[in-house]
Amino acid sequence: MSDKEDLARATGTKQIDRLDFRMGAFGAALPLVFFVIWAITTSVLQMSSEIGLVMGAIIGLALGLFFCKSKWEDYAQGLFDGLAQPVGVIAMVAWFFAGMFANVLQVGGLVEGLVWVGSVTGLEGGLFVALTFLLASTFSTAVGTGYGTTVAFCTLMYPAGIAVGAEPVMLFAAILAGAVFGDNLAPVSDTTIVSATTQDADVPGVVRSRFKYSIAAAVPTVVLFAIFGGGGTTQANQAVMLDNTNPTGLFMLVPFAIVLILALSGHHLLTSLTWGILTAIPLIWLLNLADPSKIISFNPDSDAIVQGALIDGVAGYMNMAILILLIVAGAHLMRLGGTMEAITKGLVKWIQNSIRRAELAIWSIVALLNSAITINTAAEIAAAPFVKELGEKYKIHRYRRANMLDAVTSALGYIFPWGAPVLLGWSTIKQMKDKNYDWLPVVDPTSVFPFVFQGWFLVVVMLLAAITSWGLRYEGKNGEELKEAPKE
């Protein structure tokens, strides 16, 4: 008997493999469709809030219950199976550690140190935005998490950039764009690993083969951010911050560098961030950069009792953690209801025997799933079987399949206003405004999505690659790359 069967017997539950819905595949997708509509509507009406988004996801899942023709207890079990998917838990833990790390560096004065660098070197406005994109790309490539990069850079680089005249929307977009770059290219990124393993490809070969696509998108991206990233205003409080900048906060670049070095050396994300935190705290104490109570303290008069940067790094993302679990659960219900299967059958009929249509179908299915399943790894897992089946049928090389799957996933995951990374960055900026910088402008998710240039360019690059067959390689009998389709 398997472990799952043992667990099912012990707990009185069973693994659900299929659910039937009224309206078929659309009924199964209803929970996520409702959430997307809810998120867009509240954002356009400027009524977005984290708990409001959580409520939208809950209402969508509740509506799905009334469209389910299977037993309601099976629907409930399918929902709980979805909540238990590892992809959601992994993202949550990454947020918590990245949040603690970023908040400790912020307490140590890294924001003020970065502002000092910008003010004395003239690296302000658009140049600061371009630098932010490059640094975010480097950090996300090293640590392998675009979500963690979004948290860290919205905490550190966003307020620093605003203080030196960066345009708020472009600055937020540059952070998201940098997260896209690393999520797509990093060897230790979850999307890179999933895209490679689901297509039976090796990670180093996949990374080498996709470099040209990433750079083709990154070059125009950095230029556009440099040109259009300036034009921000300097308010009174920002001027005060500029007057009180302190270069000693740059010592916090030491733990930042340690995290990069450990990550590039192959250490796990959590290991790298833990050592970054453990290095930053003694530096703050030894150099007297901040009161130690700002890192962690106990206050019996407070509702939270425990306070400080470490607590803020975790507590600030509780609502977002709940939201990501609910979205992953909705995606799981969609799979159980046969939505993926229905889409696949329709596209296969359209493809016929055209390689170009096959690649366009792969691009389309990955894009479609990412527009609904706003957690990029979850969307990638959902699309991977289709990509593999179709790619093997038309002898498309496994590297090419993995690249098409990962590039579109990494790009669109950071673009849509209802996407988890965009909402995560928006939530982080709101926290910084409420707790540290009351002058900080908060960028609405519906304002930033057109300017996540790395994401949009990567989507277009892969679409053109599918249309023109640029970079297309076929698979030989022994897995080798061929320029021409192998003869039967």
Side-chain angles (χ1 to χ4, degrees):
M1 184 175 291
S2 68
D3 292 340
K4 288 185 177 180
E5 289 172 336
D6 289 337
L7 180 62
R9 173 170 290 186
T11 59
T13 61
K14 60 180 179 180
Q15 191 82 17
I16 303 300
D17 297 320
R18 181 76 185 186
L19 291 172
D20 293 321
F21 286 84
R22 295 177 178 85
M23 296 194 300
F26 178 78
L30 184 63
L32 280 180
V33 171
F34 178 86
F35 169 73
V36 170
I37 294 173
W38 175 283
I40 294 174
T41 302
T42 56
S43 181
V44 170
L45 297 176
Q46 297 186 339
M47 296 189 298
S48 288
S49 68
E50 295 167 35
I51 195 64
L53 291 170
V54 170
M55 183 54 62
I58 291 174
I59 294 173
L61 292 170
L63 285 175
L65 182 67
F66 295 99
F67 282 82
C68 183
K69 294 194 294 184
S70 300
K71 294 179 180 179
W72 281 13
E73 55 262 36
D74 288 348
Y75 179 90
Q77 187 57 48
L79 173 60
F80 283 113
D81 291 343
L83 290 170
Q85 295 290 303
V87 61
V89 179
I90 292 170
M92 286 167 46
V93 176
W95 293 354
F96 293 158
F97 274 76
M100 289 190 293
F101 178 61
N103 273 272
V104 168
L105 297 189
Q106 189 270 329
V107 165
L110 182 55
V111 174
E112 287 75 12
L114 293 170
V115 174
W116 179 83
V117 170
S119 62
V120 300
T121 62
L123 197 65
E124 301 176 346
L127 292 178
F128 193 94
V129 173
L131 176 65
T132 297
F133 167 69
L134 294 173
L135 291 177
S137 298
T138 303
F139 185 80
S140 59
T141 302
V143 302
T145 169
Y147 286 19
T149 300
T150 302
V151 170
F153 276 67
C154 284
T155 300
L156 301 170
M157 296 297 285
Y158 185 81
I162 297 301
V164 295
E167 204 285 319
V169 173
M170 288 294 177
L171 183 57
F172 185 21
I175 293 170
L176 294 172
V180 170
F181 184 92
D183 213 8
N184 173 233
L185 194 62
V188 294
S189 166
D190 52 355
T191 59
T192 298
I193 293 169
V194 168
S195 67
T197 55
T198 58
Q199 304 306 310
D200 297 327
D202 60 286
V203 171
V206 164
V207 171
R208 286 193 300 270
S209 65
R210 73 177 44 159
F211 185 76
K212 58 180 176 291
Y213 306 122
S214 299
I215 293 301
V219 171
T221 293
V222 72
V223 172
L224 288 175
F225 281 135
I227 295 173
F228 298 107
T233 59
T234 302
Q235 300 174 356
N237 288 326
Q238 294 169 264
V240 171
M241 184 178 181
L242 284 167
D243 292 338
N244 290 279
T245 54
N246 191 342
T248 57
L250 295 176
F251 280 108
M252 289 295 95
L253 289 175
V254 173
F256 190 89
I258 288 174
V259 170
L260 287 181
I261 293 169
L262 289 175
L264 289 172
S265 300
H267 290 275
H268 193 278
L269 166 67
L270 299 190
T271 302
S272 304
L273 290 174
T274 298
W275 276 109
I277 294 169
L278 293 177
T279 305
I281 292 174
L283 276 176
I284 292 173
W285 287 344
L286 291 173
L287 299 175
N288 196 28
L289 297 177
D291 190 325
S293 64
K294 290 187 176 181
I295 298 173
I296 188 168
S297 62
F298 297 87
N299 182 3
D301 298 327
S302 168
D303 292 336
I305 304 297
V306 187
Q307 298 176 328
L310 293 176
I311 304 304
D312 293 340
V314 175
Y317 299 102
M318 286 298 184
N319 288 334
M320 289 300 299
I322 295 170
L323 179 62
I324 193 173
L325 290 180
L326 295 173
I327 293 173
V328 170
H332 185 68
L333 292 173
M334 190 171 74
R335 185 183 67 80
L336 294 179
T339 305
M340 265 295 299
E341 185 180 349
I343 295 171
T344 301
K345 288 181 178 178
L347 286 173
V348 167
K349 290 180 180 179
W350 173 75
I351 292 169
Q352 297 177 351
N353 291 316
S354 168
I355 292 292
R356 181 176 288 109
R357 286 189 178 187
E359 289 209 312
L360 285 172
I362 290 173
W363 184 93
S364 299
I365 191 67
V366 177
L368 179 63
L369 284 173
N370 274 275
S371 67
I373 305 172
T374 59
I375 312 301
N376 51 12
T377 308
E380 189 170 73
I381 291 171
F386 167 81
V387 174
K388 184 178 181 181
E389 179 182 350
L390 200 59
E392 288 180 343
K393 180 178 180 180
Y394 291 95
K395 308 297 183 183
I396 300 171
H397 195 272
R398 60 194 67 189
Y399 289 170
R400 174 75 165 192
R401 303 195 312 257
N403 291 336
M404 192 69 72
L405 175 61
D406 188 83
V408 179
T409 293
S410 297
L412 295 180
Y414 294 84
I415 289 175
F416 295 119
W418 58 89
V422 181
L423 297 174
L424 180 65
W426 165 75
S427 173
T428 302
I429 293 171
K430 284 183 64 179
Q431 290 179 50
M432 296 302 294
K433 178 180 178 66
D434 295 339
K435 296 181 179 180
N436 302 100
Y437 311 106
D438 58 4
W439 45 265
L440 204 63
V442 177
V443 177
D444 193 88
T446 54
S447 300
V448 72
F449 84 95
F451 306 105
V452 187
F453 297 130
Q454 177 70 16
W456 286 115
F457 282 137
L458 199 54
V459 169
V460 173
V461 164
M462 299 315 295
L463 177 60
L464 292 176
I467 294 173
T468 65
S469 297
W470 173 50
L472 173 62
R473 294 293 182 271
Y474 297 93
E475 188 155 313
K477 292 182 179 180
N478 299 316
E480 68 273 20
E481 291 185 88
L482 302 175
K483 291 185 178 181
E484 302 292 335
K487 295 180 179 180
E488 296 294 337

